[in-house]
Each structure stands twice: as structure tokens, then as C-alpha cells.
Coordinates of all heavy atoms in Angstrom, one line a residue:
M1 N -44.0 58.8 16.3 CA -44.7 59.7 17.3 C -46.0 59.1 17.7 O -46.8 58.7 16.8 CB -44.9 61.0 16.6 CG -45.4 62.1 17.6 SD -45.7 63.7 16.8 CE -44.0 64.3 16.8
A2 N -46.3 58.9 18.9 CA -47.5 58.4 19.4 C -48.6 59.4 19.3 O -48.5 60.6 19.4 CB -47.4 58.0 20.9
A3 N -49.8 58.8 19.0 CA -51.0 59.7 18.9 C -51.4 60.2 20.3 O -51.3 59.5 21.2 CB -52.1 58.9 18.2
R4 N -51.9 61.4 20.3 CA -52.3 61.9 21.6 C -53.7 61.3 22.0 O -54.5 61.1 21.1 CB -52.6 63.5 21.5 CG -51.3 64.2 21.4 CD -51.5 65.7 21.3 NE -52.4 66.2 22.3 CZ -53.0 67.4 22.3 NH1 -52.6 68.2 21.4 NH2 -53.8 67.7 23.3
P5 N -53.8 60.9 23.2 CA -55.1 60.3 23.6 C -56.3 61.3 23.5 O -56.1 62.5 23.6 CB -54.9 59.9 25.1 CG -53.8 60.7 25.5 CD -52.9 61.0 24.3
R6 N -57.4 60.7 23.1 CA -58.6 61.5 23.0 C -58.9 62.1 24.4 O -58.6 61.4 25.4 CB -59.8 60.7 22.5 CG -59.5 60.3 21.1 CD -60.8 59.6 20.5 NE -61.7 59.1 21.5 CZ -62.1 57.8 21.5 NH1 -61.7 57.0 20.6 NH2 -63.0 57.4 22.4
P7 N -59.5 63.2 24.5 CA -59.9 63.8 25.8 C -60.7 62.9 26.6 O -60.5 62.7 27.8 CB -60.7 65.1 25.4 CG -60.2 65.5 24.1 CD -59.9 64.2 23.4
L8 N -61.7 62.2 26.0 CA -62.5 61.2 26.8 C -61.6 60.1 27.4 O -61.8 59.7 28.5 CB -63.6 60.7 25.9 CG -64.7 59.8 26.7 CD1 -65.3 60.7 27.8 CD2 -65.7 59.3 25.8
A9 N -60.7 59.6 26.6 CA -59.8 58.5 27.0 C -59.0 59.0 28.2 O -58.7 58.3 29.2 CB -58.9 58.1 25.9
A10 N -58.5 60.3 28.2 CA -57.7 60.8 29.3 C -58.6 61.0 30.5 O -58.1 60.7 31.6 CB -57.2 62.2 28.9
L11 N -59.9 61.3 30.3 CA -60.8 61.5 31.5 C -61.1 60.1 32.1 O -61.1 60.0 33.3 CB -62.1 62.2 31.1 CG -61.9 63.6 30.7 CD1 -63.2 64.2 30.1 CD2 -61.5 64.4 32.0
I12 N -61.2 59.1 31.3 CA -61.5 57.8 31.8 C -60.3 57.3 32.6 O -60.4 56.7 33.7 CB -61.8 56.8 30.6 CG1 -63.1 57.1 30.0 CG2 -61.7 55.3 31.1 CD1 -63.4 56.4 28.7
T13 N -59.1 57.5 32.1 CA -57.8 57.2 32.8 C -57.8 57.9 34.1 O -57.4 57.2 35.1 CB -56.6 57.5 31.9 OG1 -56.7 56.8 30.7 CG2 -55.3 57.1 32.6
A14 N -58.1 59.1 34.2 CA -58.0 59.9 35.4 C -59.1 59.4 36.4 O -58.9 59.3 37.6 CB -58.2 61.4 35.1
Y15 N -60.3 59.1 35.9 CA -61.4 58.6 36.7 C -61.0 57.2 37.3 O -61.2 57.0 38.5 CB -62.6 58.4 35.8 CG -63.9 58.0 36.5 CD1 -64.2 58.4 37.8 CD2 -64.8 57.3 35.8 CE1 -65.3 58.1 38.4 CE2 -66.0 56.9 36.5 CZ -66.3 57.3 37.7 OH -67.4 56.9 38.4
I16 N -60.4 56.3 36.5 CA -60.0 55.0 37.1 C -58.9 55.2 38.1 O -58.9 54.5 39.1 CB -59.5 54.1 35.9 CG1 -60.8 53.7 35.1 CG2 -58.8 52.9 36.4 CD1 -60.4 53.0 33.8
A17 N -58.0 56.1 37.9 CA -56.9 56.3 38.8 C -57.5 56.9 40.1 O -57.0 56.5 41.2 CB -55.9 57.3 38.2
A18 N -58.4 57.8 40.0 CA -59.1 58.3 41.2 C -59.8 57.3 42.0 O -59.8 57.2 43.3 CB -60.0 59.5 40.9
I19 N -60.5 56.4 41.3 CA -61.2 55.3 42.0 C -60.2 54.4 42.7 O -60.4 54.0 43.9 CB -62.0 54.4 40.9 CG1 -63.2 55.3 40.4 CG2 -62.5 53.1 41.6 CD1 -63.9 54.6 39.2
R20 N -59.1 54.0 42.1 CA -58.1 53.2 42.7 C -57.5 53.9 43.9 O -57.3 53.2 45.0 CB -57.0 52.9 41.7 CG -57.4 51.8 40.7 CD -56.2 51.3 40.0 NE -56.6 50.4 39.0 CZ -56.2 50.4 37.7 NH1 -55.3 51.3 37.3 NH2 -56.6 49.5 36.9
D21 N -57.1 55.1 43.8 CA -56.5 55.8 44.9 C -57.5 55.9 46.1 O -57.1 55.6 47.2 CB -56.1 57.2 44.5 CG -55.3 58.0 45.5 OD1 -54.5 57.4 46.1 OD2 -55.6 59.2 45.6
Y22 N -58.7 56.2 45.8 CA -59.7 56.3 46.9 C -60.0 55.0 47.5 O -60.0 54.8 48.8 CB -61.0 56.9 46.3 CG -62.1 57.1 47.3 CD1 -62.0 57.7 48.5 CD2 -63.4 56.6 47.0 CE1 -63.0 57.9 49.4 CE2 -64.4 56.7 47.9 CZ -64.3 57.4 49.1 OH -65.3 57.5 49.9
S23 N -60.1 53.9 46.7 CA -60.4 52.6 47.2 C -59.2 52.1 48.1 O -59.4 51.5 49.1 CB -60.6 51.6 46.1 OG -61.8 52.0 45.4
Q24 N -58.0 52.3 47.6 CA -56.8 51.9 48.4 C -56.7 52.6 49.7 O -56.4 52.0 50.7 CB -55.5 52.1 47.6 CG -55.4 51.1 46.4 CD -54.2 51.5 45.6 OE1 -53.5 52.5 45.8 NE2 -53.9 50.6 44.6
H25 N -57.0 53.9 49.7 CA -57.0 54.6 51.0 C -58.1 54.1 51.9 O -57.8 53.9 53.1 CB -57.2 56.1 50.7 CG -57.3 56.9 52.0 ND1 -56.1 57.2 52.7 CD2 -58.3 57.4 52.7 CE1 -56.4 57.9 53.8 NE2 -57.7 58.0 53.9
L26 N -59.3 53.8 51.5 CA -60.3 53.3 52.3 C -59.9 51.9 52.9 O -60.2 51.6 54.1 CB -61.6 53.1 51.6 CG -62.4 54.4 51.3 CD1 -63.7 54.0 50.5 CD2 -62.8 55.1 52.6
A27 N -59.2 51.1 52.1 CA -58.8 49.8 52.6 C -57.7 49.9 53.7 O -57.6 49.1 54.5 CB -58.3 49.0 51.4
Q28 N -56.8 50.9 53.6 CA -55.7 51.1 54.5 C -55.9 51.9 55.7 O -55.3 51.8 56.7 CB -54.5 51.6 53.7 CG -54.0 50.6 52.6 CD -53.0 51.2 51.7 OE1 -52.6 52.4 51.9 NE2 -52.5 50.4 50.8
C29 N -56.8 52.9 55.6 CA -57.0 53.9 56.7 C -58.1 53.3 57.6 O -59.2 52.9 57.2 CB -57.5 55.2 56.1 SG -57.7 56.5 57.4
H30 N -57.7 53.3 58.9 CA -58.7 52.8 59.9 C -59.7 53.8 60.4 O -60.6 53.5 61.1 CB -57.9 52.2 61.1 CG -57.0 51.1 60.7 ND1 -57.4 49.8 60.3 CD2 -55.6 51.0 60.5 CE1 -56.4 49.1 60.0 NE2 -55.3 49.8 60.1
R31 N -59.4 55.1 60.0 CA -60.3 56.1 60.5 C -61.4 56.5 59.4 O -62.4 57.1 59.7 CB -59.5 57.4 60.8 CG -58.6 57.2 62.0 CD -58.0 58.5 62.3 NE -57.1 59.0 61.2 CZ -56.5 60.2 61.2 NH1 -56.6 61.0 62.2 NH2 -55.7 60.5 60.2
C32 N -61.2 56.0 58.2 CA -62.2 56.3 57.1 C -63.2 55.2 56.9 O -62.9 54.0 57.0 CB -61.4 56.5 55.8 SG -60.5 58.1 55.7
T33 N -64.4 55.7 56.6 CA -65.4 54.8 56.0 C -65.9 55.5 54.8 O -65.5 56.6 54.4 CB -66.6 54.6 57.0 OG1 -67.2 55.9 57.2 CG2 -66.1 54.1 58.4
R34 N -66.9 54.9 54.1 CA -67.4 55.5 52.9 C -68.2 56.8 53.3 O -68.5 57.6 52.4 CB -68.3 54.5 52.1 CG -67.4 53.5 51.5 CD -68.1 52.9 50.3 NE -67.3 51.8 49.7 CZ -66.4 52.1 48.8 NH1 -66.2 53.3 48.3 NH2 -65.7 51.1 48.3
A35 N -68.6 56.9 54.5 CA -69.5 58.1 54.9 C -68.6 59.1 55.7 O -68.9 60.3 55.6 CB -70.6 57.6 55.8
V36 N -67.6 58.7 56.4 CA -66.8 59.6 57.2 C -65.3 59.5 56.8 O -64.8 58.3 56.7 CB -66.9 59.3 58.7 CG1 -66.1 60.2 59.5 CG2 -68.4 59.4 59.1
H37 N -64.7 60.6 56.5 CA -63.3 60.6 56.0 C -62.3 61.3 56.9 O -62.7 62.3 57.5 CB -63.2 61.2 54.6 CG -64.1 60.6 53.6 ND1 -63.9 59.3 53.2 CD2 -65.2 61.0 53.0 CE1 -64.9 59.0 52.3 NE2 -65.7 60.0 52.2
C38 N -61.1 60.8 57.0 CA -60.0 61.6 57.6 C -59.7 62.7 56.6 O -60.2 62.8 55.5 CB -58.8 60.7 58.0 SG -57.9 60.2 56.6
R39 N -58.7 63.5 57.0 CA -58.3 64.7 56.1 C -57.8 64.2 54.8 O -58.2 64.7 53.7 CB -57.2 65.4 56.8 CG -56.7 66.6 56.1 CD -55.7 67.4 57.0 NE -54.8 66.5 57.7 CZ -53.5 66.4 57.5 NH1 -53.0 67.2 56.6 NH2 -52.8 65.6 58.2
H40 N -57.0 63.1 54.7 CA -56.5 62.6 53.5 C -57.6 61.9 52.7 O -57.6 62.0 51.4 CB -55.3 61.6 53.8 CG -54.2 62.2 54.5 ND1 -53.4 63.2 54.0 CD2 -53.8 62.0 55.8 CE1 -52.5 63.5 55.0 NE2 -52.8 62.9 56.1
G41 N -58.5 61.2 53.4 CA -59.6 60.5 52.7 C -60.5 61.6 52.1 O -61.1 61.3 51.0
S42 N -60.7 62.7 52.7 CA -61.6 63.7 52.2 C -61.0 64.3 50.9 O -61.8 64.5 50.0 CB -61.7 64.8 53.3 OG -62.6 65.8 52.8
R43 N -59.7 64.5 50.9 CA -59.1 65.0 49.7 C -59.3 64.0 48.5 O -59.6 64.4 47.4 CB -57.6 65.3 49.9 CG -56.9 65.8 48.7 CD -55.4 66.1 48.9 NE -54.7 64.9 49.4 CZ -54.3 63.9 48.6 NH1 -54.5 64.0 47.3 NH2 -53.6 62.9 49.1
R44 N -59.0 62.7 48.8 CA -59.1 61.7 47.8 C -60.6 61.6 47.3 O -60.8 61.4 46.1 CB -58.6 60.4 48.3 CG -57.1 60.3 48.4 CD -56.7 59.0 49.0 NE -55.3 58.8 48.9 CZ -54.4 59.2 49.8 NH1 -54.8 59.9 50.9 NH2 -53.1 59.0 49.7
H45 N -61.5 61.7 48.2 CA -62.9 61.6 47.8 C -63.3 62.8 47.0 O -64.0 62.6 46.0 CB -63.8 61.5 49.1 CG -65.2 61.3 48.8 ND1 -66.2 62.2 49.0 CD2 -65.9 60.2 48.3 CE1 -67.4 61.7 48.6 NE2 -67.2 60.5 48.2
T46 N -62.8 64.0 47.3 CA -63.1 65.1 46.4 C -62.5 65.0 45.1 O -63.2 65.3 44.1 CB -62.6 66.4 47.1 OG1 -63.2 66.5 48.4 CG2 -62.8 67.6 46.3
E47 N -61.3 64.5 45.0 CA -60.7 64.2 43.7 C -61.5 63.2 42.9 O -61.6 63.3 41.6 CB -59.2 63.8 43.8 CG -58.3 64.9 44.3 CD -56.9 64.4 44.7 OE1 -56.7 63.2 44.5 OE2 -56.1 65.2 45.2
Y48 N -61.9 62.2 43.5 CA -62.7 61.1 42.9 C -64.0 61.7 42.3 O -64.4 61.5 41.2 CB -63.0 60.0 43.9 CG -64.2 59.2 43.5 CD1 -64.1 58.2 42.5 CD2 -65.4 59.3 44.2 CE1 -65.2 57.4 42.2 CE2 -66.5 58.5 43.9 CZ -66.4 57.5 42.9 OH -67.5 56.8 42.6
L49 N -64.7 62.6 43.1 CA -66.0 63.2 42.7 C -65.7 64.1 41.5 O -66.5 64.2 40.6 CB -66.7 63.9 43.8 CG -67.2 63.0 44.9 CD1 -67.8 63.8 46.1 CD2 -68.3 62.0 44.4
R50 N -64.6 64.9 41.5 CA -64.3 65.8 40.4 C -64.0 65.0 39.2 O -64.5 65.4 38.1 CB -63.1 66.7 40.8 CG -63.5 67.8 41.8 CD -62.3 68.6 42.1 NE -62.7 69.7 43.0 CZ -61.8 70.2 43.9 NH1 -60.6 69.9 43.8 NH2 -62.2 71.1 44.7
A51 N -63.3 64.0 39.3 CA -63.0 63.1 38.1 C -64.2 62.5 37.5 O -64.4 62.5 36.3 CB -61.9 62.1 38.4
Q52 N -65.1 62.1 38.4 CA -66.4 61.5 38.0 C -67.2 62.5 37.3 O -67.8 62.2 36.2 CB -67.1 60.9 39.2 CG -68.4 60.2 38.9 CD -69.1 59.8 40.1 OE1 -69.3 60.6 41.0 NE2 -69.5 58.5 40.2
A53 N -67.3 63.7 37.8 CA -68.1 64.7 37.2 C -67.6 65.1 35.8 O -68.4 65.3 34.9 CB -68.2 66.0 38.1
A54 N -66.3 65.3 35.7 CA -65.7 65.6 34.4 C -65.9 64.5 33.4 O -66.2 64.8 32.2 CB -64.2 65.8 34.6
Y55 N -65.8 63.3 33.8 CA -66.0 62.2 32.9 C -67.5 62.1 32.4 O -67.8 62.0 31.2 CB -65.7 60.8 33.6 CG -66.2 59.6 32.8 CD1 -65.7 59.3 31.6 CD2 -67.2 58.9 33.3 CE1 -66.2 58.2 30.9 CE2 -67.7 57.8 32.7 CZ -67.2 57.4 31.5 OH -67.7 56.4 30.8
R56 N -68.4 62.3 33.4 CA -69.8 62.3 33.0 C -70.2 63.4 32.1 O -71.0 63.3 31.2 CB -70.7 62.2 34.3 CG -70.6 60.9 35.0 CD -71.5 60.8 36.2 NE -71.5 59.5 36.8 CZ -72.1 59.2 37.9 NH1 -72.8 60.1 38.5 NH2 -72.0 57.9 38.3
A57 N -69.6 64.6 32.4 CA -69.9 65.8 31.5 C -69.4 65.6 30.1 O -70.1 65.9 29.1 CB -69.3 67.0 32.1
A58 N -68.2 65.0 30.0 CA -67.7 64.8 28.7 C -68.5 63.7 27.9 O -68.7 63.8 26.7 CB -66.2 64.3 28.8
R59 N -68.9 62.7 28.6 CA -69.7 61.6 28.0 C -71.0 62.1 27.6 O -71.5 61.8 26.5 CB -69.9 60.5 29.0 CG -70.4 59.2 28.4 CD -70.6 58.1 29.4 NE -71.6 58.6 30.4 CZ -71.9 57.9 31.5 NH1 -71.2 56.8 31.8 NH2 -72.8 58.3 32.3
A60 N -71.6 63.1 28.3 CA -72.9 63.7 28.0 C -72.8 64.5 26.8 O -73.8 64.7 26.0 CB -73.5 64.4 29.2
R61 N -71.6 65.2 26.6 CA -71.4 66.0 25.4 C -71.3 65.3 24.1 O -71.5 65.8 23.0 CB -70.2 66.9 25.6 CG -70.4 68.0 26.5 CD -69.2 69.0 26.5 NE -68.0 68.4 26.9 CZ -67.4 68.5 28.1 NH1 -67.9 69.4 29.0 NH2 -66.3 67.9 28.4
R62 N -70.9 64.0 24.2 CA -70.7 63.2 23.0 C -72.0 62.9 22.2 O -73.0 62.9 22.4 CB -70.1 61.9 23.3 CG -68.6 62.1 23.7 CD -68.0 60.8 23.9 NE -67.4 60.5 22.6 CZ -66.9 59.3 22.3 NH1 -66.8 58.4 23.1 NH2 -66.4 59.1 21.1

């Protein structure tokens, strides 16, 4: 039986996934920039910011 990942490890994984998803979208979408987002880019950016905030909060609690 595999050990369950620590909550911080899970947050790091989610944060990295959000960074990758957001970066890939920026590279492929011709309407998005880092300052202005299309509808899909806006959702990805929000998910990235939420993952970042959760990771930073968990890191601060340690």
C-alpha cells in the first residue's frame, strides 16, 4: 500500500500543474497575454492564483 502524500506535497503538485496549464495556454492562445486573458485564460489564471495562495498558506503554517 502506497503512503498518502503529505498535504504540502499535494499542494506543490497542484501548483506545478496549474503553472504548466497556464503557461501552455499562454503559449498557444493568440488572444492572451500575461496582462489580458481570454475566457479560458482567465479561468486558468484564477486556478493558478488559487493554487499559489493555497501553497503559500500551507508553507507559512509549517
Side-chain angles (χ1 to χ4, degrees):
M1 186 182 281
R4 288 180 50 192
R6 295 189 336 238
L8 187 59
L11 290 172
I12 292 170
T13 303
Y15 184 34
I16 292 170
I19 291 170
R20 282 191 184 134
D21 187 41
Y22 178 54
S23 296
Q24 286 175 354
H25 179 77
L26 284 179
Q28 295 172 358
C29 183
H30 299 289
R31 294 186 296 174
C32 284
T33 65
R34 291 204 180 272
V36 180
H37 303 291
C38 71
R39 182 172 41 111
H40 302 289
S42 180
R43 180 183 56 81
R44 285 176 171 87
H45 187 248
T46 301
E47 290 172 3
Y48 160 72
L49 291 176
R50 285 182 181 154
Q52 181 184 53
Y55 166 69
R56 288 183 176 178
R59 191 180 65 187
R61 283 191 297 255
R62 288 188 90 189

